[in-house]
Amino acid sequence: MLSSLLSNLNYGTILLLMLLESTVIPVPSELVVAPAAYHAAGGGLNVILVVLFATIGADLGASINYFVALYVGRPVIYRFANSRWGKMCLLNQEKVEKSERYFDDHGIVATLTGRLIPGIRHLISLPAGLARMNYWKFLLYTTLGAGAWHTILAAMGWYLHAIVPEDQLEQTIEQYNHYIVAAILSLVVLAILWFVGKHYLGNSRR
């Protein structure tokens, strides 16, 4: 089913796949948004709508995780992570705990920066729900983080259209992963610096 969706990308499938990616189902966003933007560069889709629908999907999936964590609590989430179904989703308790530590270390800004970090991205909404973070603030930061991530992927896909044949696209995207990581880390550092600067500036004015 997944391969069929990937081979027939449109706005609906982009939204659905990014919804799944933001829950606990291992859908690689690199192989959804970048190819969609690749086709947009050829006139098949609108690249702005690609980013928009991908981000809406991410918001919906993250909201599912948020409300599940809010209402079922940590023991049930850990039980699922350690279950056979959790392992089928490439999930385990250690990954959930890692996302919780990241959230604890960075506070609510983790909801934004966590959307940019592989391995954390699709789970960061769980600790937000467990911590009972304000939902609208959670949604705002999730939208900003997911939008930034999808913009990076879309820019890469658009760029690759001019230099890479379609049958080599997936392999090339995997080769470009280190550039993606560098861009992500830069954005995370800038976001943290901005929030820290805003915090200290606000305190100095009191």
Side-chain angles (χ1 to χ4, degrees), residues 130-189:
L130 291 172
R132 297 184 175 275
M133 178 181 176
N134 177 276
Y135 174 70
W136 297 109
K137 188 174 288 188
F138 161 80
L139 186 61
L140 172 62
Y141 288 168
T142 297
T143 301
L144 293 174
W149 170 242
H150 296 145
T151 298
I152 292 172
L153 295 180
M156 180 179 67
W158 186 278
Y159 167 73
L160 291 178
H161 183 268
I163 62 172
V164 176
E166 187 170 359
D167 60 353
Q168 298 176 21
L169 180 60
E170 182 176 342
Q171 179 182 357
T172 305
I173 289 172
E174 293 174 355
Q175 292 173 349
Y176 270 66
N177 268 344
H178 59 287
Y179 294 112
I180 298 175
V181 170
I184 289 170
L185 291 177
S186 298
L187 284 173
V188 169
V189 169

Side-chain angles (χ1 to χ4, degrees), residues 54-67:
T55 303
I56 292 172
D59 282 346
L60 293 173
S63 294
I64 291 172
N65 271 9
Y66 172 92
F67 286 113

Side-chain angles (χ1 to χ4, degrees), residues 2-200:
L2 180 58
S3 60
S4 175
L5 290 172
L6 289 172
S7 62
N8 295 282
L9 286 174
N10 55 50
Y11 302 125
T13 55
I14 292 167
L15 186 149
L16 174 61
L17 290 169
M18 291 302 91
L19 183 156
L20 296 176
E21 192 257 357
S22 287
T23 55
V24 294
I25 299 174
V27 177
S29 54
E30 298 91 335
L31 299 181
V32 177
V33 179
Y38 182 96
H39 292 300
L45 296 168
N46 181 297
V47 71
I48 295 175
L49 291 179
V50 167
V51 174
L52 177 62
F53 277 90
T55 303
I56 292 172
D59 282 346
L60 293 173
S63 294
I64 291 172
N65 271 9
Y66 172 92
F67 286 113
V68 167
L70 181 68
Y71 289 114
V72 307
R74 187 175 285 103
V76 176
I77 290 173
Y78 282 0
R79 198 175 306 127
F80 174 78
N82 292 322
S83 70
R84 182 180 65 177
W85 292 104
K87 289 179 172 57
M88 288 176 63
C89 294
L90 306 181
L91 194 62
N92 56 49
Q93 184 172 327
E94 182 182 354
K95 290 182 179 180
V96 178
E97 290 175 340
K98 180 180 178 182
S99 69
E100 289 192 80
R101 286 194 299 271
Y102 185 86
F103 186 87
D104 291 340
D105 290 342
H106 298 87
I108 59 176
V109 69
T111 312
L112 190 160
T113 58
R115 295 294 311 182
L116 303 169
I117 301 176
I120 295 290
R121 181 169 60 249
H122 67 299
L123 296 177
I124 196 62
S125 47
L126 292 175
L130 291 172
R132 297 184 175 275
M133 178 181 176
N134 177 276
Y135 174 70
W136 297 109
K137 188 174 288 188
F138 161 80
L139 186 61
L140 172 62
Y141 288 168
T142 297
T143 301
L144 293 174
W149 170 242
H150 296 145
T151 298
I152 292 172
L153 295 180
M156 180 179 67
W158 186 278
Y159 167 73
L160 291 178
H161 183 268
I163 62 172
V164 176
E166 187 170 359
D167 60 353
Q168 298 176 21
L169 180 60
E170 182 176 342
Q171 179 182 357
T172 305
I173 289 172
E174 293 174 355
Q175 292 173 349
Y176 270 66
N177 268 344
H178 59 287
Y179 294 112
I180 298 175
V181 170
I184 289 170
L185 291 177
S186 298
L187 284 173
V188 169
V189 169
L190 288 173
I192 291 174
L193 289 175
W194 184 81
F195 276 94
V196 169
K198 182 180 177 182
H199 173 74
Y200 280 107

